[in-house]
Amino acid sequence: MKFCKKYQEYMQGQEQKKLPEVGFKKLKKILKKCRRDSSQSQPCPDHCSVCDGTFFPSLLSEMSEIVGCFNQRAQKLLELHLASGFRKYILWFKGKYHKNHTALIQEGEDLVTYALINATAIRKILKKYDKVHYSKQGQLFKSQVQSMHKEILQSPWLCELMAFHINLRETKVNSRKETALFDECSLTFKDGKPSLTCDLFDSIKIDIDLTCSICLDTVFDPVSLTCGHIFCYICACSAASVSIVDGLKAANPKEKCPLCRERAVYEGAVHLEELNILLGRSCQEYWEQRLQSERVERIKQIKEHWDSQCRAFMGV
């Protein structure tokens, strides 16, 4: 079965959820028209005004809707899953906590499937564009989209949902149906360095490096910046020139990511709680050592913070 048909059948099965999708058929028609017109005159150039004026804006709009919908739904799902005590009661009172545990697990799997099949659809349609135009504009557009944070495989919530699934699998909590999609989803170690990996549709592979590029150790209390790079929380605070008391939201917008040098990436950082749980279970000895050293550093920074606050209050 061709991927286009497979994709359409999948999205038809999701109609009740009203999920945004890639207009695969519409975009292919734009490219087909371009190919037909160019065959009658001259080959379509690298920068085609007909295609570029409709194809890329249309695809960008669809990608924005898809990643926005995915992030919103994934965030809500994980908020429900991680809620406890009074917070869970509040969610129940607001009518948000109406699903049982098994339903939450299945929804997590469905969301990851949605993200991955759309990532595959986007990759295929951009390849088709480059084939028609004998160009690399499709790949260039993909790079531009990544810098705009519209690439769904960059989403920190995808990383969180993968960790969520592994955590539940290890605690032997099964959903109503195991999907083949997750057979290769795992936390792997190579030369002691961890990574989150998953083999996906059409030979796409996710390989998320979980080594902090600042301290060069396994990420501890991990956060994902809006550019998609993952660091230890305390390392990210250090890179942003803020204390752990003030937090990343207090970072100056001019501060840059240590890896890609992009500005204004700290305020919207996402705390990866499911990933933190997964790494804590998988690297217990290392985790205990980091807990001890982090506790000392946190106490030191908190003491310095309150000392400075007291001096300011006293006018010293």
Side-chain angles (χ1 to χ4, degrees), residues 53-67:
T54 53
F55 181 88
F56 288 128
S58 179
L59 182 56
L60 179 60
S61 175
E62 289 163 359
M63 289 176 75
S64 299
E65 289 180 13
I66 289 167
V67 76

Side-chain angles (χ1 to χ4, degrees), residues 127-173:
K127 271 190 174 181
K128 186 81 173 174
Y129 178 95
D130 284 346
K131 187 178 178 181
V132 169
H133 295 83
Y134 304 100
S135 75
K136 293 185 178 179
Q137 291 302 312
Q139 295 308 307
L140 181 61
F141 171 77
K142 188 175 180 181
S143 298
Q144 292 170 343
V145 165
Q146 287 174 347
S147 68
M148 296 164 66
H149 313 136
K150 303 297 183 185
E151 167 62 78
I152 200 162
L153 295 183
Q154 277 186 310
S155 171
W157 298 108
L158 180 58
C159 176
E160 273 288 82
L161 284 174
M162 289 169 64
F164 166 72
H165 174 79
I166 297 170
N167 285 334
L168 293 170
R169 186 176 65 199
E170 289 181 353
T171 52
K172 299 180 180 180
V173 179

